[in-house]
Amino acid sequence: MSEPLPVTRVVEHGTAKLMPDIDRERAWLLTVDGAPQSYVDLDEPTHLEFEYARRLGHLLDTVAEPGRPLDALHLGGGALTLPRYLAATRPGSRQHVVDADGPLLDLVAEHLPLPPDSRVALHAADARAWLEAAPDDSADVLVADVFGGSRVPAHLTSVAYVHEAARVLRPGGVYLANLADAAPFAFLRSQLATLATRFEELALIAEPGVLRGRRFGNAVLAAAHRPLDIAALSRRTAADAFPARVEHGAALRDFTGGARPVRDEDAVPSPEPPEGAFGIG
């Protein structure tokens, strides 16, 4: 039997490459311009290789009772890791995936096809434009994992953007975001302040080393109008191979400090990662 071969294709925002994992028969790593974007195991969609993806998975597991289908909106597609996870853990969920890079979506759909019963619809569109046209109260969960290259685009960081996200979510819905920053966390703190303009409940999940300012890294944010299951999140993240900490309540308010919400006219992309921060090997 022939071994799977890497696939390389020029897409909208760089050069994408699908590389097979030699240790898992039908697992693939997606990179864009050499930076890891997604990891997918087609035979085991509940396997989340990347740490930030596992943290988003923990949140998806705890936003509703186990197995309950959700209406989900994903801003940013990658290799569709989290839509596959949600389809496997919450069968019957209806999902929309929005990604500005249409050729990348085509590449993933061609070489890493979704199961026919996954109920995942793909849309090649700008995330904010699609969000602004989406119906009110139409999603149980919104997952934002959008990077233009290695940075979150500026127009997805403002109060106006958060207003649209809150409008599209149902009253009990939860907003989730994958961001990246380093000390002194000007970007991350501004995003917490921006989310606080529309959501009463906030939580942050990150490795202790990142929170102590030792290195650049991912931070996963959750926002809702209702209490989140912080105890369950804390147990799950602490049990990971690379444990993370959940910040919430007064500690998170102290972390946010005097950061101000971001207006459209002041919005900037997330900081450029230092060289090698998210490289392979």
Side-chain angles (χ1 to χ4, degrees), residues 120-138:
V120 177
L122 307 181
H123 309 273
D126 175 78
R128 180 156 162 184
W130 202 94
L131 189 65
E132 288 171 348
D136 293 358
D137 301 330
S138 56

Side-chain angles (χ1 to χ4, degrees), residues 154-253:
H155 69 302
L156 303 182
T157 67
S158 69
V159 169
Y161 160 76
V162 168
H163 172 85
E164 294 298 327
R167 177 186 61 79
V168 169
L169 282 168
R170 292 175 179 139
V174 182
Y175 176 87
L176 310 178
N178 174 41
L179 306 175
D181 201 2
F185 303 111
F187 177 75
L188 184 55
R189 288 175 164 137
S190 75
Q191 290 307 286
L192 286 163
T194 302
L195 285 168
T197 64
R198 292 307 305 264
F199 295 98
E200 293 83 16
E201 179 87 348
L202 299 175
L204 179 154
I205 307 173
E207 283 186 35
V210 171
L211 292 174
R212 291 178 187 134
R214 293 177 181 170
R215 66 178 184 85
F216 190 95
N218 292 91
V220 169
L221 303 185
H225 296 301
R226 59 175 175 84
L228 298 166
D229 193 341
I230 299 301
L233 279 175
S234 298
R235 288 194 300 270
R236 289 167 183 258
T237 57
D240 274 344
F242 293 92
R245 204 165 77 208
V246 179
E247 294 289 355
H248 173 258
L252 190 56
R253 289 190 292 273

